[in-house]
Amino acid sequence: MEHSDQPLFAEERRKEILNLLEKKTKVFVPELCDFFNVSPATIRTDLKILDNEGALKRTHGGAVNLSKAKYEPTSTVKLAKNIEEKKRIAEYAMQLIENGDTIALDTGTTTLELAKLLSARNNLTIVTNDIAIAQNLEENSNATIILLGGTLRRGFNCTASSVAANMMNDFHVDKAFIASNSFSFESGFTTPSLDQADVKKSMIHSATEVIMMIDSSKFNSIAFYRFASLADIDQLITDNSLSHDDYQTLCQYSDTLKFAAV
């Protein structure tokens, strides 16, 4: 962002912050400090006031536009993004799966990459709400596949409703591999879809071990509905493009959370 030429009154500055959020997915405190030539404390106060007014949503280190928090790209769009990072995350996650495991695979393009590797394991039982994952496993593995029912989310290759969530509650699995649209240290793991959030919650509650698979582009962003915090998961797998600050913050949770940046 280019610097603002003249100092602004607080109300003018906050209006300009909202204007910037109309053009960008998210803004960060340091860049806003540079843009307005004010202190981090001033910017944090601005963001807190705007958040309280319901004009934006604060995240760790910045803010996002609330309208963008409700937007979710389709599965086709997601498939084209960060594919190499997703493959590395999937390859690492594969090492955590043993022959005979019962697992839950959340819908998502990263979990789909994991599903493509599961032909190397035997006697798996896999519960999923993702149609593309179920089809891939049916064609390429000997796993027992349980597809959660419910309402089909058009464009997202999955079922997501109270039917799917309630069905998942009847199972217990060894490991659940969960995907997330967004993550911030303040707001936790979030998704634009309330129905999808309910299915994710059910998978988490039904598992002995919960593994979150999320590429670094999802950090410091927030979607509409929170479904988990760091305290709800046992391990987090991300890619090695994670920022130094985010890596250091994750290290602070090392007593209770395993994580890998691959």
Side-chain angles (χ1 to χ4, degrees):
M1 294 188 298
E2 296 180 359
H3 289 265
S4 180
D5 293 331
Q6 297 181 0
L8 302 175
F9 292 112
E11 289 298 325
E12 294 175 314
R13 188 174 58 248
R14 290 165 197 158
K15 182 177 180 180
E16 185 62 25
I17 288 173
L18 295 178
N19 288 337
L20 291 170
L21 273 176
E22 288 297 319
K23 304 172 185 176
K24 297 167 64 71
T25 303
K26 53 193 171 186
V27 292
F28 297 100
V29 170
E31 66 180 359
L32 292 175
C33 291
D34 290 342
F35 184 78
F36 294 110
N37 195 26
V38 295
S39 70
T42 297
I43 292 298
R44 292 191 185 98
T45 298
D46 287 340
L47 298 182
K48 182 178 181 180
I49 290 171
L50 291 169
D51 184 278
N52 290 339
E53 292 175 350
L56 54 71
K57 182 65 178 179
R58 282 196 298 163
T59 65
H60 179 70
V64 295
N65 188 317
L66 277 177
S67 65
K68 292 182 172 65
K70 298 179 183 179
Y71 168 73
E72 182 175 9
T74 65
S75 296
T76 302
V77 173
K78 291 178 184 178
L79 279 171
K81 293 185 175 181
N82 305 312
I83 186 62
E84 293 304 319
E85 289 85 351
K86 292 173 182 178
K87 287 181 177 180
R88 293 201 305 272
I89 291 169
E91 288 167 359
Y92 187 94
M94 178 64 178
Q95 301 173 41
L96 306 178
I97 299 174
E98 302 174 354
N99 291 336
D101 274 350
T102 57
I103 65 175
L105 280 185
D106 188 15
T107 185
T109 51
T110 307
T111 46
L112 176 58
E113 291 301 323
L114 174 59
K116 293 176 182 178
L117 303 175
L118 293 181
S119 59
R121 296 289 185 268
N122 294 314
N123 301 318
L124 298 177
T125 299
I126 301 169
V127 185
T128 187
N129 65 326
D130 190 298
I131 297 170
I133 286 176
Q135 182 177 5
N136 185 280
L137 291 169
E138 194 274 334
E139 294 173 352
N140 300 298
S141 78
N142 63 5
T144 298
I145 307 158
I146 300 171
L147 181 62
L148 300 177
T151 305
L152 179 68
R153 289 195 73 202
R154 292 185 181 276
F156 295 93
N157 294 330
C158 70
T159 58
S161 66
S162 60
V163 174
N166 290 336
M167 186 176 177
M168 186 68 222
N169 286 333
D170 291 333
F171 296 108
H172 176 79
V173 295
D174 298 315
K175 296 153 188 168
F177 293 87
I178 308 297
S180 182
N181 298 82
S182 305
F183 170 72
S184 77
F185 290 101
E186 293 174 341
S187 299
F189 299 96
T190 52
T191 180
S193 166
L194 176 59
D195 287 336
Q196 193 60 62
D198 286 342
V199 178
K200 292 175 187 289
K201 284 182 177 181
S202 294
M203 287 184 172
I204 289 170
H205 293 157
S206 298
T208 300
E209 184 177 6
V210 180
I211 300 100
M212 182 67 65
M213 304 170 65
I214 179 171
D215 67 78
S216 60
S217 71
K218 310 291 180 56
F219 274 64
N220 300 308
S221 63
I222 187 169
F224 184 59
Y225 196 87
R226 168 178 166 152
F227 65 87
S229 67
L230 283 174
D232 295 316
I233 69 171
D234 300 291
Q235 186 161 175
L236 185 150
I237 311 171
T238 187
D239 61 79
N240 58 16
S241 295
L242 191 68
S243 74
H244 175 76
D245 287 347
D246 288 337
Y247 184 89
Q248 291 299 317
T249 303
L250 278 176
C251 287
Q252 297 175 18
Y253 295 85
S254 59
D255 289 342
T256 57
L257 175 70
K258 298 178 182 177
F259 77 93
V262 297

